[in-house]
Amino acid sequence: MGNSVLALRAQQISESKREFKARGSKLTRCEACLLAEPLCICAGIRQAQCSSAVCLLMYHNESFKPSNTGRLIADIVPDNHAFRWDRTEPSEALLALLDNPNYQPIVVFPEENVQPQRVIKSVQRIDGKKPLFIFLDGTWREAKKMFRKSPYLDRFPVLSISPQSLSNYKLRVAPHEHQLGTAEVACVVFAENGEAEAAENLTSHFVDFRDAYLRGKRSKFVEV
């Protein structure tokens, strides 16, 4: 399977009635990593042997943003799925994925304001089912909105993580120091739930991406 976030991005571009433009839109970018071509990091990607799957539920134009790190997860985990979030008309493919008996859907989200009976700290694997980690990909405010307004997720357990270290994510400024970017959250999830290779490869990929992105901001290359 390829990178579902890039596939979603291509689909949204083809369906869009107007071009999405952000700071740095005139930059010549690699079509895969979305960095300036001289800063491309694609050669360093190492896909992991992974017994889990991921589903990225992406807020509106999130897949367009060069600063998005959800697509880094899709680079590393072979079984990856991405969908644009819609409050009233969720994708039929998304609903089918959630109902697929081969998967064990788990929503990744902080435990605050979540019913205690839904919260889990680690995944107990079910025989014959592959854990499907569902990441709500957007700003913190957008992720909270997606969580509250997605009733089709209400039947699934919520995996809450408590990383002990502060974020190194410097591409966007989170409202609170302890908040992590989507890829960083995934690194913790994988490390704490039996996917050591995925955690290691994603951490390396994220660091490469972050450093290249920040080099671009400090040089003549302008990013979002």
Side-chain angles (χ1 to χ4, degrees), residues 110 112 140 163 165-167 174-181 184-185:
E112 291 81 7
W140 174 233
S165 59
L166 295 177
S167 172
H176 303 288
E177 276 192 322
H178 65 276
Q179 290 177 7
L180 302 179
E184 289 177 292
V185 171

PDB file of all heavy atoms in Angstrom, residues 110 112 140 163 165-167 174-181 184-185:
ATOM      1  N   PRO A 110      -6.324  12.205  24.167  1.00  0.00           N
ATOM      2  CA  PRO A 110      -6.123  12.387  25.614  1.00  0.00           C
ATOM      3  C   PRO A 110      -7.366  12.006  26.409  1.00  0.00           C
ATOM      4  O   PRO A 110      -8.493  12.169  25.951  1.00  0.00           O
ATOM      5  CB  PRO A 110      -5.814  13.886  25.740  1.00  0.00           C
ATOM      6  CG  PRO A 110      -5.324  14.291  24.395  1.00  0.00           C
ATOM      7  CD  PRO A 110      -6.082  13.452  23.417  1.00  0.00           C
ATOM      8  N   GLU A 112      -8.702  13.298  29.078  1.00  0.00           N
ATOM      9  CA  GLU A 112      -9.526  14.353  29.667  1.00  0.00           C
ATOM     10  C   GLU A 112     -10.841  14.473  28.897  1.00  0.00           C
ATOM     11  O   GLU A 112     -10.871  14.466  27.679  1.00  0.00           O
ATOM     12  CB  GLU A 112      -8.789  15.698  29.626  1.00  0.00           C
ATOM     13  CG  GLU A 112      -7.592  15.795  30.541  1.00  0.00           C
ATOM     14  CD  GLU A 112      -6.351  15.156  29.953  1.00  0.00           C
ATOM     15  OE1 GLU A 112      -6.395  14.746  28.770  1.00  0.00           O
ATOM     16  OE2 GLU A 112      -5.340  15.055  30.673  1.00  0.00           O
ATOM     17  N   TRP A 140      -4.963  21.174  17.702  1.00  0.00           N
ATOM     18  CA  TRP A 140      -5.581  20.626  18.919  1.00  0.00           C
ATOM     19  C   TRP A 140      -7.073  20.975  18.968  1.00  0.00           C
ATOM     20  O   TRP A 140      -7.915  20.131  19.283  1.00  0.00           O
ATOM     21  CB  TRP A 140      -4.848  21.159  20.147  1.00  0.00           C
ATOM     22  CG  TRP A 140      -5.470  20.797  21.454  1.00  0.00           C
ATOM     23  CD1 TRP A 140      -5.812  21.646  22.462  1.00  0.00           C
ATOM     24  CD2 TRP A 140      -5.820  19.478  21.911  1.00  0.00           C
ATOM     25  NE1 TRP A 140      -6.356  20.944  23.506  1.00  0.00           N
ATOM     26  CE2 TRP A 140      -6.367  19.616  23.197  1.00  0.00           C
ATOM     27  CE3 TRP A 140      -5.725  18.216  21.351  1.00  0.00           C
ATOM     28  CZ2 TRP A 140      -6.828  18.525  23.936  1.00  0.00           C
ATOM     29  CZ3 TRP A 140      -6.177  17.114  22.076  1.00  0.00           C
ATOM     30  CH2 TRP A 140      -6.720  17.286  23.356  1.00  0.00           C
ATOM     31  N   PRO A 163       3.213  10.893  27.553  1.00  0.00           N
ATOM     32  CA  PRO A 163       4.665  10.965  27.332  1.00  0.00           C
ATOM     33  C   PRO A 163       5.346  11.782  28.422  1.00  0.00           C
ATOM     34  O   PRO A 163       4.823  12.797  28.873  1.00  0.00           O
ATOM     35  CB  PRO A 163       4.777  11.645  25.966  1.00  0.00           C
ATOM     36  CG  PRO A 163       3.490  12.373  25.808  1.00  0.00           C
ATOM     37  CD  PRO A 163       2.446  11.556  26.509  1.00  0.00           C
ATOM     38  N   SER A 165       8.376  13.195  28.218  1.00  0.00           N
ATOM     39  CA  SER A 165       9.247  14.271  27.737  1.00  0.00           C
ATOM     40  C   SER A 165       8.443  15.306  26.965  1.00  0.00           C
ATOM     41  O   SER A 165       7.408  14.998  26.381  1.00  0.00           O
ATOM     42  CB  SER A 165      10.351  13.711  26.844  1.00  0.00           C
ATOM     43  OG  SER A 165       9.802  13.042  25.740  1.00  0.00           O
ATOM     44  N   LEU A 166       8.938  16.538  26.966  1.00  0.00           N
ATOM     45  CA  LEU A 166       8.269  17.602  26.221  1.00  0.00           C
ATOM     46  C   LEU A 166       8.512  17.432  24.731  1.00  0.00           C
ATOM     47  O   LEU A 166       9.468  16.802  24.292  1.00  0.00           O
ATOM     48  CB  LEU A 166       8.783  18.971  26.665  1.00  0.00           C
ATOM     49  CG  LEU A 166       8.466  19.360  28.113  1.00  0.00           C
ATOM     50  CD1 LEU A 166       9.094  20.710  28.437  1.00  0.00           C
ATOM     51  CD2 LEU A 166       6.977  19.403  28.355  1.00  0.00           C
ATOM     52  N   SER A 167       7.640  18.032  23.959  1.00  0.00           N
ATOM     53  CA  SER A 167       7.711  17.887  22.514  1.00  0.00           C
ATOM     54  C   SER A 167       8.930  18.595  21.922  1.00  0.00           C
ATOM     55  O   SER A 167       9.318  19.664  22.356  1.00  0.00           O
ATOM     56  CB  SER A 167       6.445  18.466  21.885  1.00  0.00           C
ATOM     57  OG  SER A 167       6.555  18.501  20.489  1.00  0.00           O
ATOM     58  N   ALA A 174       2.161  24.831  19.653  1.00  0.00           N
ATOM     59  CA  ALA A 174       0.952  24.313  20.303  1.00  0.00           C
ATOM     60  C   ALA A 174       0.573  25.227  21.463  1.00  0.00           C
ATOM     61  O   ALA A 174       1.427  25.873  22.071  1.00  0.00           O
ATOM     62  CB  ALA A 174       1.205  22.896  20.806  1.00  0.00           C
ATOM     63  N   PRO A 175      -0.724  25.293  21.814  1.00  0.00           N
ATOM     64  CA  PRO A 175      -1.148  26.142  22.925  1.00  0.00           C
ATOM     65  C   PRO A 175      -0.534  25.725  24.261  1.00  0.00           C
ATOM     66  O   PRO A 175      -0.382  26.531  25.154  1.00  0.00           O
ATOM     67  CB  PRO A 175      -2.671  25.953  22.943  1.00  0.00           C
ATOM     68  CG  PRO A 175      -3.019  25.512  21.568  1.00  0.00           C
ATOM     69  CD  PRO A 175      -1.859  24.692  21.103  1.00  0.00           C
ATOM     70  N   HIS A 176      -0.194  24.442  24.404  1.00  0.00           N
ATOM     71  CA  HIS A 176       0.385  23.952  25.649  1.00  0.00           C
ATOM     72  C   HIS A 176       1.655  23.179  25.342  1.00  0.00           C
ATOM     73  O   HIS A 176       1.724  22.433  24.369  1.00  0.00           O
ATOM     74  CB  HIS A 176      -0.615  23.053  26.385  1.00  0.00           C
ATOM     75  CG  HIS A 176      -1.916  23.733  26.673  1.00  0.00           C
ATOM     76  ND1 HIS A 176      -2.040  24.724  27.632  1.00  0.00           N
ATOM     77  CD2 HIS A 176      -3.141  23.588  26.119  1.00  0.00           C
ATOM     78  CE1 HIS A 176      -3.295  25.148  27.658  1.00  0.00           C
ATOM     79  NE2 HIS A 176      -3.981  24.482  26.749  1.00  0.00           N
ATOM     80  N   GLU A 177       2.648  23.328  26.211  1.00  0.00           N
ATOM     81  CA  GLU A 177       3.950  22.733  25.960  1.00  0.00           C
ATOM     82  C   GLU A 177       3.895  21.218  25.813  1.00  0.00           C
ATOM     83  O   GLU A 177       4.677  20.628  25.095  1.00  0.00           O
ATOM     84  CB  GLU A 177       4.912  23.097  27.102  1.00  0.00           C
ATOM     85  CG  GLU A 177       5.575  24.446  26.953  1.00  0.00           C
ATOM     86  CD  GLU A 177       6.710  24.598  27.941  1.00  0.00           C
ATOM     87  OE1 GLU A 177       6.553  24.126  29.087  1.00  0.00           O
ATOM     88  OE2 GLU A 177       7.736  25.171  27.571  1.00  0.00           O
ATOM     89  N   HIS A 178       2.952  20.561  26.565  1.00  0.00           N
ATOM     90  CA  HIS A 178       2.950  19.106  26.585  1.00  0.00           C
ATOM     91  C   HIS A 178       2.312  18.488  25.350  1.00  0.00           C
ATOM     92  O   HIS A 178       2.366  17.276  25.180  1.00  0.00           O
ATOM     93  CB  HIS A 178       2.209  18.611  27.832  1.00  0.00           C
ATOM     94  CG  HIS A 178       0.745  18.958  27.834  1.00  0.00           C
ATOM     95  ND1 HIS A 178       0.286  20.178  28.271  1.00  0.00           N
ATOM     96  CD2 HIS A 178      -0.350  18.260  27.440  1.00  0.00           C
ATOM     97  CE1 HIS A 178      -1.045  20.203  28.165  1.00  0.00           C
ATOM     98  NE2 HIS A 178      -1.448  19.062  27.655  1.00  0.00           N
ATOM     99  N   GLN A 179       1.701  19.303  24.502  1.00  0.00           N
ATOM    100  CA  GLN A 179       1.041  18.745  23.327  1.00  0.00           C
ATOM    101  C   GLN A 179       2.072  18.348  22.275  1.00  0.00           C
ATOM    102  O   GLN A 179       3.074  19.012  22.075  1.00  0.00           O
ATOM    103  CB  GLN A 179       0.050  19.753  22.742  1.00  0.00           C
ATOM    104  CG  GLN A 179      -1.164  19.957  23.635  1.00  0.00           C
ATOM    105  CD  GLN A 179      -2.098  21.004  23.087  1.00  0.00           C
ATOM    106  OE1 GLN A 179      -1.914  21.497  21.987  1.00  0.00           O
ATOM    107  NE2 GLN A 179      -3.098  21.358  23.854  1.00  0.00           N
ATOM    108  N   LEU A 180       1.779  17.245  21.591  1.00  0.00           N
ATOM    109  CA  LEU A 180       2.689  16.697  20.604  1.00  0.00           C
ATOM    110  C   LEU A 180       2.074  16.774  19.213  1.00  0.00           C
ATOM    111  O   LEU A 180       0.862  16.812  19.054  1.00  0.00           O
ATOM    112  CB  LEU A 180       2.998  15.233  20.929  1.00  0.00           C
ATOM    113  CG  LEU A 180       3.597  14.938  22.303  1.00  0.00           C
ATOM    114  CD1 LEU A 180       3.802  13.437  22.463  1.00  0.00           C
ATOM    115  CD2 LEU A 180       4.901  15.669  22.497  1.00  0.00           C
ATOM    116  N   GLY A 181       2.937  16.758  18.173  1.00  0.00           N
ATOM    117  CA  GLY A 181       2.458  16.643  16.811  1.00  0.00           C
ATOM    118  C   GLY A 181       1.973  15.220  16.560  1.00  0.00           C
ATOM    119  O   GLY A 181       2.290  14.283  17.301  1.00  0.00           O
ATOM    120  N   GLU A 184       4.629  12.517  16.412  1.00  0.00           N
ATOM    121  CA  GLU A 184       5.210  12.252  17.727  1.00  0.00           C
ATOM    122  C   GLU A 184       4.285  11.394  18.573  1.00  0.00           C
ATOM    123  O   GLU A 184       4.732  10.476  19.284  1.00  0.00           O
ATOM    124  CB  GLU A 184       5.496  13.563  18.445  1.00  0.00           C
ATOM    125  CG  GLU A 184       6.658  14.344  17.865  1.00  0.00           C
ATOM    126  CD  GLU A 184       6.826  15.665  18.578  1.00  0.00           C
ATOM    127  OE1 GLU A 184       5.945  16.532  18.435  1.00  0.00           O
ATOM    128  OE2 GLU A 184       7.831  15.828  19.277  1.00  0.00           O
ATOM    129  N   VAL A 185       2.994  11.681  18.529  1.00  0.00           N
ATOM    130  CA  VAL A 185       2.025  10.857  19.246  1.00  0.00           C
ATOM    131  C   VAL A 185       2.116   9.416  18.763  1.00  0.00           C
ATOM    132  O   VAL A 185       2.119   8.466  19.559  1.00  0.00           O
ATOM    133  CB  VAL A 185       0.595  11.405  19.052  1.00  0.00           C
ATOM    134  CG1 VAL A 185      -0.435  10.433  19.622  1.00  0.00           C
ATOM    135  CG2 VAL A 185       0.448  12.772  19.707  1.00  0.00           C
TER     136      VAL A 185
END
